[in-house]
Each structure stands twice: as structure tokens, then as C-alpha cells.
Amino acid sequence: MGVVGDRIGPVRPRDRFLHGESVEGSVRGPILHSWQRSQLLGISPDQSELPFTQDFDPDGRLIRAARPVLDRLESVFAGSQMNISLADGYGTVLERRFGEKSMVKRLSPIQTVPGFVFAEQFAGTNGIGLTLAERRLCQVFGAEHFAERSQSSACTAIPLRDQLSGHIEGVLCLGYPYTDVDPALVPVVRKAAEAIERRLMEQSSARERGLLQAYLDAASRTGTDEYSGNGHGLGMAELLQSELEQSDQMTLKEKATELMSSAQWAAAEVSLSRDRWVTLVSRPVTSPSGVEGIVIEALLPEEEEHHAPAPTGPPPGPLSRAAPRTATRAARGPGTSGTSGGAPGASGAPGTEDPSGGMVRGLVLVGEPEVGKYAVAARRRLELLAEASNRIGTTLDVGRTAWELAETAVPRLADFVTIDMPESVLRGEESAHPTSEMHRTVVHGIREDCPFYPVGEQVTLRPTTPHMRCLITGQPVLEPDLKAAFGWIAQDPEHAELLLAHNIHSLITVPLYARGVLLGIASFYRSQDPAPYGDDDRWLAQELAARAALCIDNARRYTREHTLALALQRSLLPRGLPDQDAVEVAHRYLPAEHGVGGDWFDVIPLSGTRVALLVGDVVGHGLHAAATMGRLRTAARNFAELELAPDELLTHLDNLMVRLDREEGGDNPALGSGIVGATFLYAIYDPTSQRCTMARAGHPPPALVHPDGAVTLLDLPAGPPLGLGGLPFESVEMQLPEHSQLVLYTDGLVEDRHRDIDVALGELTRALAHPDRAPEETCQAVLDAVAPEHPADDIALLVARTHAVPADRIASWDLPADPALVGEVRAAAVSQLSRWGLDESAFATELLLSELVTNAVRYGTAPIRVRLIHDRTLICEVHDASNSAPRMRHAASTDEGGRGLFLVAQLSQAWGTRYTTEGKVIWAECALTAA
């Protein structure tokens, strides 16, 4: 800000702006936008001429309502330099008042004479023009004015609205020297505006009272004494309160309002509850002052005993042609208290007999047609908001939720809707620079040929556009006439011409804000309705956008969590399959459509060419389930490395889940529900014997595809899910033919609320009955045939085709516990290696066998068995019946022994011990190229 001479305001930023420099951030947003629009319009800062007109009514409705308020303001500011202006909705000054009378002589005509037009497109940035553009209270100080002539003044302006329609009828503006700036002026101008708006409302009431009097006068001239309270004398309000249900009252009120908005002779039969009905009739009436209005009457049958069903045909024509029908006395209750749209009027006048038709006639509503139209429009807006609550947010998908907003708004609010959002929001993130990262997300309308920017295209917004103003201020922006919206046209003149050629004429842009996060912008366009958008439409668009923004933000947060959980889930799954020859493996992981679960699979090579296959499923969804899955998978791998039998491994995992549950607060309801549990299937396949040992903990049974195509769901003991604690598990061992396929899966594959599980298992069996398929093809065929179209749970699928180690690749010897036989075994092993062409590995293998066999003879128990397996590596195994495991220790320099296992560890790639039902096996793997 700066002060130069008698000017106040952003002098330096304004000068920089006029020289084409950027002033973003140093000037208030509405002022900068108005400067930009003024510049686009070609307005010169030193321009001194404004349009002048005398074509306005000096005693018009707005002036009559404002005159006492202006008198009061003139009195309050007497003796001051206050300039009080009243302008109409087009920016034309209708009346001026001054705190100091002598100001009229000192000021120029443009500041004193009514009739000058201060709309922004003519006068640039000023209080009246900016208020009409922003449609809210605005203040302009000193150099914020675009015109040089206004640099020494400040002003506070506020729109004046019709309380029935919400339309801006005019502007009240207080102008004063910049030295007299006072924050107290804001509440003063607000109270003055409220007083003028109340007086406008009172004028409406007076007009409607005149209509009522005209109606009563017409009735009295018929000589029927209709409203004297005699005769049938039961008023509409009395019937309304005593005999009609609430739903019937609402039905009659809505129908009477619709008839009023039609502005013509009309009649309609209204069905009520319990097969009752009543006829509503509308007819025009003119007050003594010339105001034209509509009267809504109810025609009620005189006889109570007649009863007719609800009408099914079209409503009757004008009243003079109506054929009254009979109904019960209980149906005599149409009516409402007051006129529609909130304007006071007349109702409840007593009914009386219609001498021409034996009917009772009662007054329901009286008012002007426009008031009825406003009431109908208001009700429809409320209905649309209620419908939006059900239609928007049915899914947790950001893009789909945006589409639901557009589908709700078209055609009841807009003919076309576009929604622009940053790509990061679609991914579930917040955008650091939303104004520069907008992409067209939705284009929806009554036709598909309107040339809006297509979906997916990046939208670059200029500062003058209503869209950018909306994004920067966080407030909706209304452009009633796009032909005059120069900032919108300047964005892309050719594109704007195309839209205008398709009769797009009015626009509302609304930011999608939720929880302090800018999610995008929604634009509502009107083409078919010739009336431009108004403030009520802007309010409705803002309400729709606010509700949609919350749903979009919920979907965005869910998308973020879903993405994080999926990333965590995938990071915890195997990134690649290990090298092994026991089985040929293929796998698939398919996340749930909504929410990531704790499904996983793994393939773990074990000693002796064996391989472990496992599939598990943690109960629940989200980050917690994925994290728990990671912990469980890590534990399962560690237990598998210990060479535990399947039932023992499940017992250890069960104990682990119990501990995790306790840590998560499972024993204390106040701390949450904890981990519910998990299901698990563990299988160990040995290609040397083609035997497979399996155990499961509450998991679906695996499927076995035989080489001949027969498919069997293996009947394994189910076992309890992991986490219950204390219950035993049981292993089953079976022979698997070579080239059979073992299929492991999680319940998401076969469990679906839309089909029976037996049906799904049948589909799985049929999909697997093709033994000639490779595992990869089998995986895809199973997902195509069995997986639900919209999976509610994760799916993990593992297909393993078994192989067998050829008999000529295995050599074994049995020997008693005699140290003298160690040399014979070494010689036999060297001979076998020579037959395999592994002479280079003979020396290392001879040393390994010497140490392992000697250790078994000395410390083990007969029988002792030695086995060599020629696989990817050379595997040496020594089995004995003892359960005691050797331990490698650091031998002192004086020790005579204790170096055997150290030597084994140095000569082999890996070594270890595994236990069997008959004892233990000490094994060592040696690279085939080892010397």
C-alpha cells in the first residue's frame, strides 16, 4: 500500500499493473479481478465519461421503498462528506443524498446527478459496479478504483435483494473521503439495506392485500353474501386444521402454488388420502391499483353422503366449464395460511354455497403469479437437494462421485455441467498447486454435441476467468450473461464463440471445497431456459457442490488409504519367484474392488529340493490387515526356515496371532476389537518322493488336478483359524503324481454374496479340468471363469505343477554305525559324482561327507543313511535316528576337535538340520562348480 498526495490504496501495485507487471498477492482478489476485467474491456483509467439515461421511474418500487431509509441516512451523516447513492440492478444511479448540502455545488455532475450508469463494464472498478459483479457487500479504497477521478475517495456498497425472489433489485452505496474510513460503516450499511428490503416486502404485501380486496369486492357484487360468515360458514383454515392430515395439507399447498404460478384460468382435482379429493380453481383478479394477481379457490360438494373415487382423468377446464363432483365433507379442506412464497395474503375465509352448482366455495390463496413461481422454484430446489443426498456419494470413487453431481444437476439446475479436478485428487492426494493442475474430469449435459473441452484435457485458466476468480476467492461466481462476460471470453475467444453459438448464455462456477482442501471446480451452464441464472440458482449450485465436495473428499481419502494399503500389500507380496525345480509356479493377486485385505501367498525353497507353498488371509481390510499380513508372512517364512512340519508351523503361527491380538487390545474391549484372526494353508512338496504334506487353519481346501484331467478338492482336516489359541492342527501326507497341479486360493475367489459357494466350487472344478494348460494359463482361466465381477474381497491364487527328481539323479547308501565304513562311503560318492560328470566337485564333496558321516557315527544313532541329490546344486544328506542336533562352535587353538562343522560351513553354500519322525537329517548344499 502507499499514499501519494491525496490518494490512498495500492498505488504502486496499481501502477505496476497498468504497466503490465504481475501484482498477484499484493492486491485483494476481487479488486485485481475487476482491474483485469476493466483492462479487457478497454476502459481507460483517465476516462471521465459514463453513459447517462433518464429512462427510469423516479417513483418506482425501489425508490419508494428506499426513500425513508435514505432520509434517515442523510440525517445520520448530516454535516459530513458522505455521498449516499441508490442504484438499480443495472448500475444506474436512481437517487443521491449528501451529508453536506453544499457538496452538490462542489462535485461534478457525474457524482451528483441521478441517471449515470456505474456498471463495471462502463466505469471500471467502483463500489456499485463491483457489488453487482461480486453480488455481495464490497469496499473500494482510493487507488483501488480503476478511474483516476475516484482516487481520493472510498466507498462501501451492498446489494438490495427482493426477499421473495432473491433477485438483486439495486445497490446502496456510501461514498466518502479516504480519510473518513471507518469499520463501523459496514454494520450501518447492512442495517440500511435490511430496512429497504423489508419495505420492498411490505410493498408486496400491500399489493396482495389489494388483490384480496378486489376478490372480496367482486364476491360482494354477486349478492350471494359469500363471505359474511353466514350459510355454510366453515372456513378453509378451520377445515385445514381439523380434518386434513399433514400430508394432505402439503399436497394442497403445493398444488395451489403451482396453479397460482400458471397465471391463467385453470382447475385441478387433487387426490387426498383415503380416496378423497377436492377441486382447486384459479382465476385472475385485478386490484384497484392495477396489480394483476391470481385467486385460488376450493370447490367442495355440499352433500356429505356422496362419495366419489379419486379422479383418474385430466383436470377440468376453466371454472365456467368445470363439472363439480361430489366428495365427503372430510375432503373440504384445501387451503393454506398466507400467500405462497412467504408473502402475507388471505386464507381461511368462510365457505358458502355456490348457487349455480350446489357447491361450497372457499378461498385458499391469493397472490401474484410471480410469487407462485418463486415458491414453486424454491420447493423444487429443496427437492433437488433432498434428491442429491441420495444420488451423490453412492460409491467411494472420486470420478464417479463427480459424475453423480453432474447427473443430479442436469437438467433441473443446468443444461450442461463440467467438473475440473487436479489429477492428484483423483489419485487420492491433495494438490499443491490446484489452480495450475486442473484437468477436465466430467462433461455432462442434455446433448453430447456441445463443444466443451473434452474429458482428460488439461485446463489452463487465465486470471480473468470466473473459474479462476472462484478458485482464488473460494466463493461461487455467477455470470448471468456470458456474452458480456469478457473475462470468460478472453480465456479462449474461439471456444467461447462456439459455446455461445450453442445458446450457452449463463454460468455459475462453484469451488469444490471440503475440510479446507480444494478438490476442484464445478461449472453449471444454462442454454434452454432463456432466463439467466440468479442468486437462488447460485445458492443451489453452492449447496449441491458443498454436499458433493464432502462425498468427493471421503472418496479421495478412501482412495488414498486404498492406494497406500495396496502399495503396502504389494510390497509385502513376493516380488519374484525363487529358483527351484520342484514345481512350476504361477500366481495372481487381485485386490478387492473396495478395500485391500490381508491375502497373500509365498513359495519357499527348502532343503533337499523340497518346496513350501503357502496361502493366507488375514480377516479384515485396510492398512491394518495389510500390515498384519506382512507380520504373519514374515513369521511364516522364519518358521519355514526352521524346517518345521506343517502342523507344528501352524501351531507357532497360532500362538503368534494370539500374542498380536493381545498387543492390539483384544483382551480389553475399551482398546478396540484387536485382530480377529487369519486362515492359512501350508504345503511341503518333496520331488524326490513326490509326496506332499499339508495342513490348514480354517482355509478353503486346495484343488488337485491329476494328469488325466480329474479334479479333486482335497479333504484336509479344516483346523481352527489362527488366533483362537489352544486347538491342535493335523497334517496329511499324500502322493502327488508327476505333472499334477496343486491349486491354492483364498476365499475371495469362491465366496460371493450373489452366488452359492457350491456353485463357485463347481465353476472352479470345471475351469481346472484342463491338465494340458501351463500354470500361467490355468491362473488366467480360473480368474476369468470363477472370480466375481466386482470382488468384495482380495483374491490370492497359486498354481503349482509338480515335477519329480529323476531316479538316476539320486544316490543313497545305508550303513551301520561303524567308523571303518566312512571311507567306503566316500569312495562310492566319488564314483557316483564321476558318473554324473561332477569330478570337479569330488574333493569338496568328499570332505563334506567325511565330516557329516563321521559326526553321525560318533554322536548319532543307527540306522545311518547317506544321500546325494544332483539338482541345481549338489545336495549331501546324512540321516540318523538321533534327535540331538550338532552345533557349530568356535574351537580354541589348543582344542583337538570342534572344527568339523566349521569346515562344512566353509565348503558349502548352505547347511542345516531338519527333523523327521524317524530322527534328523544334516544336509549341505555345494555348488556344482566347487573344487
Side-chain angles (χ1 to χ4, degrees), residues 488-512:
W488 175 77
I489 294 174
Q491 166 75 17
D492 187 344
E494 293 183 2
H495 183 247
E497 285 296 329
L498 290 174
L499 292 178
L500 292 173
H502 281 72
N503 203 32
I504 304 292
H505 63 81
S506 194
L507 164 68
I508 300 172
T509 61
V510 186
L512 297 173

Side-chain angles (χ1 to χ4, degrees), residues 24-226:
E24 196 76 38
S26 59
V27 181
R28 290 189 293 142
I31 299 298
L32 178 57
H33 297 150
S34 182
W35 287 357
Q36 292 166 337
R37 294 193 296 271
S38 300
Q39 199 172 56
L40 281 172
L41 291 166
I43 299 174
S44 174
D46 57 2
Q47 180 177 330
S48 59
E49 298 296 328
L50 289 179
F52 179 78
T53 180
Q54 293 180 320
D55 187 19
F56 63 88
D57 184 359
D59 194 37
R61 177 168 174 256
L62 178 61
I63 295 177
R64 284 187 284 109
R67 193 164 286 151
V69 180
L70 297 178
D71 292 341
R72 175 62 178 164
L73 288 174
E74 186 177 13
S75 172
V76 168
F77 293 111
S80 70
Q81 299 296 304
M82 186 67 68
N83 186 337
I84 307 166
S85 303
L86 176 70
D88 64 14
Y90 300 98
T92 303
V93 175
L94 305 178
E95 190 162 339
R96 287 189 181 273
R97 303 292 182 88
F98 302 94
E100 175 59 52
K101 301 292 185 180
S102 62
M103 292 176 61
V104 178
K105 300 178 181 179
R106 299 197 309 268
L107 298 176
S108 62
I110 202 173
Q111 295 175 294
T112 58
V113 178
F116 284 97
V117 181
F118 281 82
E120 190 183 64
Q121 61 263 37
F122 304 116
T125 306
N126 70 91
I128 294 174
L130 187 61
T131 298
L132 290 174
E134 294 291 327
R135 309 180 74 82
R136 58 189 175 91
L137 186 146
C138 293
Q139 293 183 291
V140 184
F141 303 105
E144 290 183 338
H145 289 86
F146 194 77
E148 296 284 354
R149 64 175 179 273
S150 304
Q151 297 292 293
S152 61
S153 65
C155 56
T156 300
I158 189 171
L160 303 172
R161 287 183 167 86
D162 186 316
Q163 294 183 358
L164 290 177
S165 66
H167 292 171
I168 293 179
E169 298 289 330
V171 177
L172 176 64
C173 181
L174 303 183
Y176 41 88
Y178 71 85
T179 54
D180 293 345
V181 172
D182 188 345
L185 287 176
V186 172
V188 170
V189 76
R190 287 190 187 279
K191 290 182 180 179
E194 291 172 359
I196 294 174
E197 289 173 351
R198 282 197 303 270
R199 291 182 57 79
L200 283 171
M201 187 67 187
E202 290 171 0
Q203 288 185 14
S204 298
S205 301
R207 293 159 67 95
E208 302 223 351
R209 285 195 296 271
L211 292 172
L212 175 61
Q213 188 59 51
Y215 172 69
L216 296 176
D217 292 344
S220 65
R221 287 195 296 270
T222 64
T224 57
D225 196 26
E226 286 182 336

Side-chain angles (χ1 to χ4, degrees), residues 316-358:
L319 178 62
S320 60
R321 306 176 193 173
R325 300 171 61 179
T326 57
T328 61
R329 179 184 178 91
R332 297 183 186 178
T336 182
S337 180
T339 59
S340 61
S347 69
T352 186
E353 182 178 358
D354 182 358
S356 62

Side-chain angles (χ1 to χ4, degrees), residues 154-443:
C155 56
T156 300
I158 189 171
L160 303 172
R161 287 183 167 86
D162 186 316
Q163 294 183 358
L164 290 177
S165 66
H167 292 171
I168 293 179
E169 298 289 330
V171 177
L172 176 64
C173 181
L174 303 183
Y176 41 88
Y178 71 85
T179 54
D180 293 345
V181 172
D182 188 345
L185 287 176
V186 172
V188 170
V189 76
R190 287 190 187 279
K191 290 182 180 179
E194 291 172 359
I196 294 174
E197 289 173 351
R198 282 197 303 270
R199 291 182 57 79
L200 283 171
M201 187 67 187
E202 290 171 0
Q203 288 185 14
S204 298
S205 301
R207 293 159 67 95
E208 302 223 351
R209 285 195 296 271
L211 292 172
L212 175 61
Q213 188 59 51
Y215 172 69
L216 296 176
D217 292 344
S220 65
R221 287 195 296 270
T222 64
T224 57
D225 196 26
E226 286 182 336
Y227 303 104
S228 63
N230 301 324
H232 292 280
L234 185 60
M236 295 297 104
E238 187 177 349
L239 275 173
L240 183 67
Q241 296 174 2
S242 63
E243 300 190 31
L244 284 185
E245 300 175 0
Q246 185 71 25
S247 60
D248 292 338
Q249 297 177 26
M250 294 300 298
T251 300
L252 288 173
K253 184 185 298 184
E254 292 175 4
K255 193 61 183 179
T257 306
E258 291 177 3
L259 284 176
M260 178 180 289
S261 66
S262 66
Q264 60 184 354
W265 288 89
E269 290 185 341
V270 182
S271 298
L272 305 178
S273 60
R274 299 196 297 274
D275 293 331
R276 299 176 300 172
W277 59 270
V278 68
T279 301
L280 294 180
V281 179
S282 66
R283 60 188 180 92
V285 64
T286 303
S287 72
S289 62
V291 176
E292 296 181 352
I294 295 292
V295 170
I296 308 297
E297 296 176 312
L299 299 182
L300 309 174
E302 179 182 3
E303 299 296 332
E304 295 182 17
E305 62 272 17
H306 298 294
H307 183 85
T312 57
L319 178 62
S320 60
R321 306 176 193 173
R325 300 171 61 179
T326 57
T328 61
R329 179 184 178 91
R332 297 183 186 178
T336 182
S337 180
T339 59
S340 61
S347 69
T352 186
E353 182 178 358
D354 182 358
S356 62
M359 300 291 290
V360 175
R361 175 179 296 171
L363 176 63
V364 179
L365 286 177
V366 62
E368 296 178 76
E370 288 300 315
V371 176
K373 292 179 181 178
Y374 298 148
V376 171
R379 187 179 77 248
R380 289 174 178 171
R381 287 192 292 269
L382 293 176
E383 291 173 350
L384 181 58
L385 288 177
E387 181 181 336
S389 300
N390 296 324
R391 292 187 60 180
I392 301 176
T394 60
T395 69
L396 287 172
D397 179 82
V398 175
R400 179 58 203 160
T401 305
W403 268 103
E404 289 170 346
L405 168 60
E407 290 170 343
T408 301
V410 174
R412 295 166 65 179
L413 172 61
D415 296 312
F416 299 93
V417 174
T418 65
I419 299 177
D420 305 321
M421 303 175 71
E423 282 190 329
S424 55
V425 171
L426 297 174
R427 296 193 303 266
E429 305 167 4
E430 296 182 12
S431 175
H433 307 285
T435 57
S436 60
E437 298 178 355
M438 288 293 175
H439 284 72
R440 182 56 46 89
T441 305
V442 173
V443 176

